[in-house]
Amino acid sequence: MQWAQRVNTVRVIGTGVMGRGIAQLAAAAGLTVELADARPEAVSAAVDQIGQMFDKLAGKGRMTGADAAAARNRLQPVDSPLAPTGCDLVIEAVREDLPTKRELFAELEKICPAHTVFATNTSSLSVTSIATALADPGRLAGLHFFNPVPLMPLVEVIPGARTAEWIPGALVDLVHRLGHQPVRATDTPGFLVNHAGRGLITEALQILGEGLAAPADVDRICRDVLGLRMGPFELMDLTALDVTHPATESIWSGYYGDPRLRPSPITRSRLEAGLLGRKVGEGFYPYTDGAKQEPPEPQAPQAETHPIWSDNAELLDALGAAGVPVERGDEPSEAAVILLAPYGHSAATAALSAGLPPARVCGVDPLSTEKRFTLTVHPATDPALARSAWAALAATGRAVTVVRDGAGMIAQRLLASIVNTSCFIAEQRLATPGDIDTAVRLALGYPRGPLKWGQHVGPRRVLAVLRALQSATGDPRYRPSRWLVERAGLGLDLTETGTTPQDLLS
Ligand SMILES: NC(=O)c1ccc[n+]([C@@H]2O[C@H](COP(=O)([O-])OP(=O)(O)OC[C@H]3O[C@@H](n4cnc5c(N)ncnc54)[C@H](O)[C@@H]3O)[C@@H](O)[C@H]2O)c1
C-alpha cells in the first residue's frame, strides 16, 4: 500500500488559525489527529471549536451525524508537542519564526519514530533552512495550506534541497486523500502562489504611486473589467498591511532585489502609520462596523454633444446603439472627439504616431467590458471634449472610470503584470504551467489561470503592453520574461512548455 493510504495518525503542532483548519480537514478525512500547542489552553479551545464545526456541518446536512461524531472522536489532544507518539506525519503550524520552528523539529526528531515524515506549513521561511535543524533533513518538506483551510482547496507541496525523493509525491497523494488539490512548488521566495500574487499587488501600488488612479478606481476596474472577486486595495485591506508589506519585502529581497517584485514606499509608510486595513477599521478604505465605505462613483457631467470617431469599431457600435452620433470615416472630422483604444501605448502616444490632434484625443482601454469603460485623459486633452467623451460612454449605460492616460492604461498593465509574473515562474521552472494556473485560480480566485489568461488576451498584446511600459518608464520592472517573448515570437501557447533538450533523450 502507498504511504499516503497507510497514514493513520498525524500530529498537528500549533493549534492557531491554520493548525485548527488542518486538524479539521485531516479528522474529516478519517485520520487520527493529535493536537498539540505550546499553550495547552489553545489545544482544548481548538478541540471544542473543531467539534462545533463538525456539528454545524452535520446540522447543514454536509456530513452525517455519525460521521461528525466519528470525526470528533478522532481529535486527540496531547499535553505537549513532544509527548510520545507513533504518528506517521507531523504537520507544524506554529508561529512564523525560523528559530522556533528549527528548535521544535530538532526536538521532534528525538521523540518521533524513524518513519515519521515532517511537514512545515511555513508561508515565507525557507523549507531548506528549517530542515537543517534535523540530523536527517531528508525527512522534511513544506506543506503549505491556505486560510481558511477547509474552504481553500489548494495545498503547495514544497521539497527542500535535501528532501528525500519519495516524499513530495507521497505528500501529493496525501493531499488528494484529504480532498484538496496539491501543486508542486519549489523552495523559493513566496513559493508559487505568493510569488504569483505579487504581479497584481506591486503593479496596483505602482499605478497608485504614479498618481494615475485612486484605489477605488483600480478596484472597480479589477472587479468589472478583469473579473476579479476583489481588487488589490480591498485585498490588501483584508489581508492587512502588516502581512502584505513584509511578505512583499521578503519575496523581493529573496530574489536579491529583482525590480519586477519591488515593494512600494506607499505600503511602508501606511504600515508605519497603522493604516493596516479592515481589522483596525482604516486602510485604503475607511470601515464602519467592519463594512467598507467605498467613495461614491463620480457621475458623468452634462456636456455638449460631439460626434465620436474611434479606431475601435466595436466601441463605435456600442456608442451608435446608445444613440451617440458617431463618425465611421477613415479620418475624424474637425468636430469629432477622438477615442483611441490602443494596446500598450498611451492614447497620447498613439495620437502622435497617427498624426491626430492630441487635444481632441482621449483613450479608452480596449479591455473595457459590458460593465465598465476606462476613459483616459492626458495633459493636453481639451477638458470640454473629454467631458463629452465621458457623457457619450455613459450613455451606453455602462459605468465609466476616468483616469490619467498612460501606457497600458489600468486593466492592461495589471493583467500584463499578472501574466508576466507567472511567465517568469514558468521560465524558471518553479512549477509546471498547469500547476501555476491551477494554484493561482484556486488560491487567488482569478477567473482564469494567468498563463491561460495571457493566452486568451494574446501573448503579443501582453508583450506590447510590457514593451510600451518599458519604453515609457525605462523601468526594468517591465522587462518581459523570456517565456513570454519566445512564445509570442514563435506563435506558441503560453501554457505549453514546448520542446526541451530533455525531450531529445526520451
Ligand atoms: N494565517 C494564515 O493565513 C497562514 C496561511 C498559510 C500559512 N500560515 C503559516 O502557518 C503557521 C501558523 O500560522 P497561524 O496563522 O495559524 O498562527 P497563529 O498565531 O494563529 O497560531 C500559532 C500557534 O502556534 C503556537 N505556538 C507558537 N510557538 C509554538 C511552539 N514552539 N510550539 C508549539 N506551539 C507553538 C501558538 O500558541 C499558537 O496557538 C505560520 O508558519 C504561518 O506563516 C499562515
Side-chain angles (χ1 to χ4, degrees), residues 5-27:
Q5 298 307 319
R6 287 200 314 270
V7 170
N8 181 41
T9 304
V10 50
R11 173 169 292 189
V12 175
I13 304 181
T15 54
V17 177
M18 296 304 288
R20 287 176 192 200
I22 296 166
Q24 181 189 327
L25 188 72

PDB file of all heavy atoms in Angstrom, residues 5-27:
ATOM      1  N   GLN A   5      -1.872   6.177   1.730  1.00  0.00           N
ATOM      2  CA  GLN A   5      -3.017   5.369   2.156  1.00  0.00           C
ATOM      3  C   GLN A   5      -2.771   4.749   3.524  1.00  0.00           C
ATOM      4  O   GLN A   5      -3.715   4.476   4.273  1.00  0.00           O
ATOM      5  CB  GLN A   5      -3.300   4.255   1.121  1.00  0.00           C
ATOM      6  CG  GLN A   5      -3.673   4.784  -0.252  1.00  0.00           C
ATOM      7  CD  GLN A   5      -4.827   5.790  -0.189  1.00  0.00           C
ATOM      8  OE1 GLN A   5      -5.791   5.594   0.554  1.00  0.00           O
ATOM      9  NE2 GLN A   5      -4.702   6.883  -0.937  1.00  0.00           N
ATOM     10  N   ARG A   6      -1.499   4.529   3.836  1.00  0.00           N
ATOM     11  CA  ARG A   6      -1.166   3.902   5.129  1.00  0.00           C
ATOM     12  C   ARG A   6      -1.210   4.900   6.279  1.00  0.00           C
ATOM     13  O   ARG A   6      -1.309   4.508   7.434  1.00  0.00           O
ATOM     14  CB  ARG A   6       0.251   3.310   5.072  1.00  0.00           C
ATOM     15  CG  ARG A   6       0.378   2.056   4.235  1.00  0.00           C
ATOM     16  CD  ARG A   6       1.636   1.273   4.629  1.00  0.00           C
ATOM     17  NE  ARG A   6       2.816   2.106   4.758  1.00  0.00           N
ATOM     18  CZ  ARG A   6       3.669   2.390   3.767  1.00  0.00           C
ATOM     19  NH1 ARG A   6       3.448   1.907   2.566  1.00  0.00           N
ATOM     20  NH2 ARG A   6       4.735   3.140   3.976  1.00  0.00           N
ATOM     21  N   VAL A   7      -1.097   6.175   5.981  1.00  0.00           N
ATOM     22  CA  VAL A   7      -1.043   7.174   7.066  1.00  0.00           C
ATOM     23  C   VAL A   7      -2.299   7.043   7.913  1.00  0.00           C
ATOM     24  O   VAL A   7      -3.419   7.047   7.408  1.00  0.00           O
ATOM     25  CB  VAL A   7      -0.944   8.615   6.497  1.00  0.00           C
ATOM     26  CG1 VAL A   7      -1.145   9.648   7.592  1.00  0.00           C
ATOM     27  CG2 VAL A   7       0.398   8.821   5.819  1.00  0.00           C
ATOM     28  N   ASN A   8      -2.061   6.915   9.199  1.00  0.00           N
ATOM     29  CA  ASN A   8      -3.174   6.727  10.124  1.00  0.00           C
ATOM     30  C   ASN A   8      -3.266   7.888  11.102  1.00  0.00           C
ATOM     31  O   ASN A   8      -4.339   8.427  11.350  1.00  0.00           O
ATOM     32  CB  ASN A   8      -2.948   5.395  10.847  1.00  0.00           C
ATOM     33  CG  ASN A   8      -4.067   5.094  11.802  1.00  0.00           C
ATOM     34  OD1 ASN A   8      -5.216   5.331  11.473  1.00  0.00           O
ATOM     35  ND2 ASN A   8      -3.727   4.620  13.000  1.00  0.00           N
ATOM     36  N   THR A   9      -2.099   8.301  11.603  1.00  0.00           N
ATOM     37  CA  THR A   9      -2.091   9.338  12.637  1.00  0.00           C
ATOM     38  C   THR A   9      -1.205  10.498  12.220  1.00  0.00           C
ATOM     39  O   THR A   9      -0.067  10.300  11.784  1.00  0.00           O
ATOM     40  CB  THR A   9      -1.547   8.760  13.969  1.00  0.00           C
ATOM     41  OG1 THR A   9      -2.348   7.640  14.308  1.00  0.00           O
ATOM     42  CG2 THR A   9      -1.623   9.788  15.088  1.00  0.00           C
ATOM     43  N   VAL A  10      -1.756  11.703  12.359  1.00  0.00           N
ATOM     44  CA  VAL A  10      -0.969  12.895  12.084  1.00  0.00           C
ATOM     45  C   VAL A  10      -0.970  13.763  13.348  1.00  0.00           C
ATOM     46  O   VAL A  10      -1.996  13.878  14.021  1.00  0.00           O
ATOM     47  CB  VAL A  10      -1.503  13.653  10.852  1.00  0.00           C
ATOM     48  CG1 VAL A  10      -2.988  13.899  10.918  1.00  0.00           C
ATOM     49  CG2 VAL A  10      -0.800  14.974  10.645  1.00  0.00           C
ATOM     50  N   ARG A  11       0.194  14.296  13.673  1.00  0.00           N
ATOM     51  CA  ARG A  11       0.252  15.228  14.811  1.00  0.00           C
ATOM     52  C   ARG A  11       0.308  16.648  14.247  1.00  0.00           C
ATOM     53  O   ARG A  11       1.210  16.969  13.464  1.00  0.00           O
ATOM     54  CB  ARG A  11       1.466  14.958  15.690  1.00  0.00           C
ATOM     55  CG  ARG A  11       1.636  16.029  16.774  1.00  0.00           C
ATOM     56  CD  ARG A  11       2.658  15.656  17.823  1.00  0.00           C
ATOM     57  NE  ARG A  11       2.198  14.539  18.649  1.00  0.00           N
ATOM     58  CZ  ARG A  11       2.817  14.126  19.759  1.00  0.00           C
ATOM     59  NH1 ARG A  11       3.915  14.743  20.176  1.00  0.00           N
ATOM     60  NH2 ARG A  11       2.355  13.116  20.440  1.00  0.00           N
ATOM     61  N   VAL A  12      -0.666  17.469  14.632  1.00  0.00           N
ATOM     62  CA  VAL A  12      -0.679  18.864  14.204  1.00  0.00           C
ATOM     63  C   VAL A  12      -0.168  19.697  15.370  1.00  0.00           C
ATOM     64  O   VAL A  12      -0.750  19.670  16.463  1.00  0.00           O
ATOM     65  CB  VAL A  12      -2.099  19.312  13.780  1.00  0.00           C
ATOM     66  CG1 VAL A  12      -2.116  20.797  13.457  1.00  0.00           C
ATOM     67  CG2 VAL A  12      -2.575  18.499  12.581  1.00  0.00           C
ATOM     68  N   ILE A  13       0.920  20.406  15.145  1.00  0.00           N
ATOM     69  CA  ILE A  13       1.505  21.212  16.236  1.00  0.00           C
ATOM     70  C   ILE A  13       1.314  22.684  15.929  1.00  0.00           C
ATOM     71  O   ILE A  13       1.698  23.170  14.861  1.00  0.00           O
ATOM     72  CB  ILE A  13       3.001  20.890  16.426  1.00  0.00           C
ATOM     73  CG1 ILE A  13       3.160  19.393  16.685  1.00  0.00           C
ATOM     74  CG2 ILE A  13       3.577  21.706  17.587  1.00  0.00           C
ATOM     75  CD1 ILE A  13       4.599  18.957  16.917  1.00  0.00           C
ATOM     76  N   GLY A  14       0.710  23.372  16.903  1.00  0.00           N
ATOM     77  CA  GLY A  14       0.303  24.764  16.689  1.00  0.00           C
ATOM     78  C   GLY A  14      -1.171  24.745  16.334  1.00  0.00           C
ATOM     79  O   GLY A  14      -1.545  24.382  15.218  1.00  0.00           O
ATOM     80  N   THR A  15      -2.018  25.063  17.319  1.00  0.00           N
ATOM     81  CA  THR A  15      -3.463  24.962  17.064  1.00  0.00           C
ATOM     82  C   THR A  15      -4.080  26.356  16.958  1.00  0.00           C
ATOM     83  O   THR A  15      -5.102  26.652  17.552  1.00  0.00           O
ATOM     84  CB  THR A  15      -4.158  24.124  18.164  1.00  0.00           C
ATOM     85  OG1 THR A  15      -3.816  24.700  19.430  1.00  0.00           O
ATOM     86  CG2 THR A  15      -3.727  22.686  18.114  1.00  0.00           C
ATOM     87  N   GLY A  16      -3.400  27.212  16.213  1.00  0.00           N
ATOM     88  CA  GLY A  16      -3.961  28.527  15.899  1.00  0.00           C
ATOM     89  C   GLY A  16      -4.871  28.411  14.688  1.00  0.00           C
ATOM     90  O   GLY A  16      -5.448  27.347  14.429  1.00  0.00           O
ATOM     91  N   VAL A  17      -4.972  29.499  13.963  1.00  0.00           N
ATOM     92  CA  VAL A  17      -5.883  29.543  12.813  1.00  0.00           C
ATOM     93  C   VAL A  17      -5.622  28.381  11.853  1.00  0.00           C
ATOM     94  O   VAL A  17      -6.543  27.665  11.445  1.00  0.00           O
ATOM     95  CB  VAL A  17      -5.673  30.882  12.054  1.00  0.00           C
ATOM     96  CG1 VAL A  17      -6.530  30.955  10.806  1.00  0.00           C
ATOM     97  CG2 VAL A  17      -5.937  32.057  12.965  1.00  0.00           C
ATOM     98  N   MET A  18      -4.350  28.202  11.493  1.00  0.00           N
ATOM     99  CA  MET A  18      -4.037  27.213  10.461  1.00  0.00           C
ATOM    100  C   MET A  18      -4.096  25.789  11.006  1.00  0.00           C
ATOM    101  O   MET A  18      -4.660  24.894  10.369  1.00  0.00           O
ATOM    102  CB  MET A  18      -2.655  27.491   9.867  1.00  0.00           C
ATOM    103  CG  MET A  18      -2.553  28.811   9.147  1.00  0.00           C
ATOM    104  SD  MET A  18      -3.772  29.009   7.838  1.00  0.00           S
ATOM    105  CE  MET A  18      -3.162  27.874   6.604  1.00  0.00           C
ATOM    106  N   GLY A  19      -3.508  25.576  12.186  1.00  0.00           N
ATOM    107  CA  GLY A  19      -3.489  24.234  12.768  1.00  0.00           C
ATOM    108  C   GLY A  19      -4.906  23.690  12.950  1.00  0.00           C
ATOM    109  O   GLY A  19      -5.169  22.518  12.679  1.00  0.00           O
ATOM    110  N   ARG A  20      -5.816  24.544  13.377  1.00  0.00           N
ATOM    111  CA  ARG A  20      -7.208  24.098  13.550  1.00  0.00           C
ATOM    112  C   ARG A  20      -7.803  23.637  12.229  1.00  0.00           C
ATOM    113  O   ARG A  20      -8.485  22.611  12.152  1.00  0.00           O
ATOM    114  CB  ARG A  20      -8.070  25.245  14.075  1.00  0.00           C
ATOM    115  CG  ARG A  20      -7.800  25.564  15.503  1.00  0.00           C
ATOM    116  CD  ARG A  20      -8.604  26.766  15.940  1.00  0.00           C
ATOM    117  NE  ARG A  20      -8.080  27.192  17.227  1.00  0.00           N
ATOM    118  CZ  ARG A  20      -8.730  27.940  18.092  1.00  0.00           C
ATOM    119  NH1 ARG A  20      -9.942  28.360  17.809  1.00  0.00           N
ATOM    120  NH2 ARG A  20      -8.191  28.265  19.238  1.00  0.00           N
ATOM    121  N   GLY A  21      -7.575  24.440  11.205  1.00  0.00           N
ATOM    122  CA  GLY A  21      -8.135  24.101   9.892  1.00  0.00           C
ATOM    123  C   GLY A  21      -7.562  22.796   9.372  1.00  0.00           C
ATOM    124  O   GLY A  21      -8.291  21.951   8.845  1.00  0.00           O
ATOM    125  N   ILE A  22      -6.257  22.623   9.569  1.00  0.00           N
ATOM    126  CA  ILE A  22      -5.600  21.402   9.075  1.00  0.00           C
ATOM    127  C   ILE A  22      -6.127  20.193   9.859  1.00  0.00           C
ATOM    128  O   ILE A  22      -6.428  19.135   9.290  1.00  0.00           O
ATOM    129  CB  ILE A  22      -4.058  21.534   9.210  1.00  0.00           C
ATOM    130  CG1 ILE A  22      -3.550  22.665   8.305  1.00  0.00           C
ATOM    131  CG2 ILE A  22      -3.364  20.218   8.875  1.00  0.00           C
ATOM    132  CD1 ILE A  22      -2.113  23.121   8.598  1.00  0.00           C
ATOM    133  N   ALA A  23      -6.268  20.366  11.177  1.00  0.00           N
ATOM    134  CA  ALA A  23      -6.767  19.272  12.023  1.00  0.00           C
ATOM    135  C   ALA A  23      -8.197  18.894  11.618  1.00  0.00           C
ATOM    136  O   ALA A  23      -8.539  17.712  11.525  1.00  0.00           O
ATOM    137  CB  ALA A  23      -6.713  19.694  13.494  1.00  0.00           C
ATOM    138  N   GLN A  24      -9.019  19.894  11.353  1.00  0.00           N
ATOM    139  CA  GLN A  24     -10.409  19.620  10.938  1.00  0.00           C
ATOM    140  C   GLN A  24     -10.431  18.806   9.642  1.00  0.00           C
ATOM    141  O   GLN A  24     -11.144  17.811   9.518  1.00  0.00           O
ATOM    142  CB  GLN A  24     -11.158  20.944  10.747  1.00  0.00           C
ATOM    143  CG  GLN A  24     -12.615  20.735  10.328  1.00  0.00           C
ATOM    144  CD  GLN A  24     -13.300  22.033   9.923  1.00  0.00           C
ATOM    145  OE1 GLN A  24     -13.005  23.098  10.469  1.00  0.00           O
ATOM    146  NE2 GLN A  24     -14.206  21.947   8.967  1.00  0.00           N
ATOM    147  N   LEU A  25      -9.620  19.251   8.693  1.00  0.00           N
ATOM    148  CA  LEU A  25      -9.577  18.587   7.388  1.00  0.00           C
ATOM    149  C   LEU A  25      -9.121  17.137   7.527  1.00  0.00           C
ATOM    150  O   LEU A  25      -9.717  16.221   6.957  1.00  0.00           O
ATOM    151  CB  LEU A  25      -8.603  19.360   6.491  1.00  0.00           C
ATOM    152  CG  LEU A  25      -8.529  18.967   5.043  1.00  0.00           C
ATOM    153  CD1 LEU A  25      -9.788  19.416   4.307  1.00  0.00           C
ATOM    154  CD2 LEU A  25      -7.298  19.594   4.372  1.00  0.00           C
ATOM    155  N   ALA A  26      -8.054  16.943   8.320  1.00  0.00           N
ATOM    156  CA  ALA A  26      -7.488  15.598   8.447  1.00  0.00           C
ATOM    157  C   ALA A  26      -8.455  14.662   9.193  1.00  0.00           C
ATOM    158  O   ALA A  26      -8.643  13.510   8.786  1.00  0.00           O
ATOM    159  CB  ALA A  26      -6.140  15.685   9.171  1.00  0.00           C
ATOM    160  N   ALA A  27      -9.084  15.182  10.253  1.00  0.00           N
ATOM    161  CA  ALA A  27     -10.010  14.327  11.006  1.00  0.00           C
ATOM    162  C   ALA A  27     -11.210  13.974  10.139  1.00  0.00           C
ATOM    163  O   ALA A  27     -11.692  12.832  10.158  1.00  0.00           O
ATOM    164  CB  ALA A  27     -10.452  15.038  12.289  1.00  0.00           C
TER     165      ALA A  27
END
